[in-house]
Amino acid sequence: MDGRKKLRTGAVIIADGHQGSKGASAAMLPLGNTTVIRQIISILEQAGIKPIVLVTGKDSESLEKHVSKLPVINLYNPAYQKDEMFDSVKKGIVYVEKLCDSVLVLPAKYPMLLPDTIEKMLTCGHNNAVPVYNGRRGHPVMFDAELFPQLLSYQGAQGMRGAMHQPGVTEHIWELAVEDDGIILAVSGEEDLKNIGVPDKPLGVYPGVRLELKRESMFFNWESAQFLELINHNGSMQSACKQMHISYSKGWKIVKEAEQQLGFELVRAKTGGAEGGSSTLTEKGRRIMDFYQEMQEKLEQEAKKLFQSDDIW
């Protein structure tokens, strides 16, 4: 590794059921061969968005189980019943601000969004951008980390709209014109699906590459790396398990199997306390996490090149 900072764009998806919104039930509505939330996550994953944080609330258990096999960090908002959507947005931004350099923010109800729109936002040359279709702003909105403090400090009554239009923020937002009505087509219930219909065609084929480290069998993969990253970020194995929707015993199994095969300690844990004590990565634990993530990113880049070079597509 060359020590240079790797720029990362993450995502915060809101599906908390705030103020009586449908939340989880709408996010899990069937959409063709998938569901609304799985479609959104696939679109983000295809564009290389990491980390993807899903803010849950009402029916959090069923929603987190629904996405448990996907590379998603579940972030529960216990105050969802009284909170506005922007409260959950701020909770998500606070969580990711040290994990990425910019973030895409969107409610979990825009499954018609095109992957090309995400790519255009990432490559438009502006760090803060909102897609616009026929003069209407849509989702997601991209914010650079430099704007996080201003967004988090907003206390007005207009939520996300007010935060974006406050001085110090609004002049930095670039309006990116796109030919994608999916940025404004919200799915909040079955009636919306009837009116919108299923997508004309499924998501395009794209290469999904997952690195595994093996001896006699696999002992370290994307789940292991994400688990270590969450432990490192939270200082708690218990919290990491909750956010990945896995049991504490499975979390320990992930760590211990990797430690046995690698021959060195990855995590140091202190027991006790309401959250099950504290946990920290060892120096080698951080190195193996960084090493895996760098290899994974390089593999994804090479896979895209190989995939695009074949005229079968």
Side-chain angles (χ1 to χ4, degrees):
M1 295 180 288
D2 60 13
R4 289 178 298 179
K5 185 180 179 183
K6 174 65 177 179
L7 298 180
R8 302 178 76 187
T9 298
V12 172
I13 309 172
I14 309 302
D16 59 355
H18 57 274
Q19 293 285 305
S21 67
K22 297 295 179 64
S25 59
M28 292 187 290
L29 284 171
L31 183 73
N33 295 323
T34 185
T35 60
V36 169
I37 187 62
R38 285 177 174 268
Q39 176 90 346
I40 293 170
I41 292 169
S42 293
I43 290 168
L44 295 171
E45 190 178 13
Q46 181 175 345
I49 303 300
K50 297 176 185 176
I52 300 173
V53 174
L54 179 64
V55 182
T56 66
K58 183 180 180 182
D59 299 324
S60 61
E61 184 70 18
S62 57
L63 179 56
E64 290 173 10
K65 183 177 180 180
H66 183 67
V67 299
S68 61
K69 301 300 181 183
L70 301 177
V72 173
I73 299 170
N74 298 297
L75 188 63
Y76 178 66
N77 178 9
Y80 70 88
Q81 289 179 308
K82 65 179 182 63
D83 276 354
E84 300 287 347
M85 187 188 97
F86 190 58
D87 294 308
S88 285
V89 170
K90 290 198 286 187
K91 185 179 181 70
I93 290 176
V94 167
Y95 189 84
V96 302
E97 61 182 340
K98 293 183 180 179
L99 293 176
C100 54
D101 305 281
S102 58
V103 65
L104 297 168
V105 177
L106 71 161
K109 56 182 181 180
Y110 291 93
M112 306 302 179
L113 172 71
L114 296 177
D116 283 351
T117 295
I118 302 294
E119 293 287 352
K120 288 177 182 177
M121 293 180 72
L122 296 177
T123 59
C124 71
H126 297 270
N127 297 332
N128 304 282
V130 58
V132 177
Y133 176 76
N134 282 352
R136 290 181 59 186
R137 286 186 169 193
H139 292 277
V141 182
M142 183 170 69
F143 297 111
D144 184 82
E146 290 186 355
L147 288 188
F148 290 175
Q150 291 97 311
L151 295 169
L152 295 173
S153 66
Y154 180 74
Q155 300 294 327
Q158 295 182 312
M160 182 85 157
R161 182 185 297 274
M164 290 177 62
H165 283 86
Q166 65 178 317
V169 175
T170 187
E171 62 267 30
H172 296 289
I173 305 293
W174 174 259
E175 291 192 340
L176 178 66
V178 296
E179 295 299 318
D180 177 10
D181 62 354
I183 68 169
I184 60 173
L185 292 178
V187 175
S188 298
E190 293 183 357
E191 192 62 32
D192 292 326
L193 283 177
K194 291 178 182 178
N195 294 333
I196 295 173
V198 298
D200 294 333
K201 59 180 180 179
L203 284 179
V205 178
Y206 66 97
V209 181
R210 293 279 172 83
L211 173 65
E212 294 183 347
L213 304 183
K214 297 182 176 182
R215 282 192 188 273
E216 292 80 11
S217 59
M218 187 280 294
F219 66 88
F220 198 97
N221 62 4
W222 71 270
E223 186 179 41
S224 313
Q226 179 164 297
F227 190 52
L228 291 187
E229 183 171 33
L230 292 178
I231 292 172
N232 190 51
H233 185 58
N234 298 320
S236 166
M237 188 179 293
Q238 187 85 329
S239 295
C241 290
K242 289 178 181 177
Q243 290 171 353
M244 289 184 65
H245 199 75
I246 61 176
S247 67
Y248 191 68
S249 60
K250 181 176 180 180
W252 263 117
K253 184 178 180 182
I254 289 173
V255 172
K256 291 305 177 184
E257 283 187 353
E259 289 180 338
Q260 182 179 9
Q261 294 295 333
L262 291 167
F264 52 79
E265 189 179 31
L266 299 176
V267 177
R268 291 198 181 104
K270 291 182 179 180
T271 58
E275 290 297 316
S278 62
S279 303
T280 57
L281 298 191
T282 63
E283 181 182 350
K284 286 189 175 181
R286 285 191 293 271
R287 286 175 62 189
I288 193 69
M289 176 187 71
D290 292 339
F291 174 72
Y292 177 91
Q293 291 175 340
E294 183 172 317
M295 283 192 65
Q296 175 67 35
E297 288 166 0
K298 288 180 177 179
L299 283 172
E300 290 172 356
Q301 292 166 7
E302 290 303 314
K304 285 182 179 179
K305 292 177 184 177
L306 291 170
F307 183 79
Q308 293 168 356
S309 68
D310 198 311
D311 59 9
I312 190 175
W313 313 111

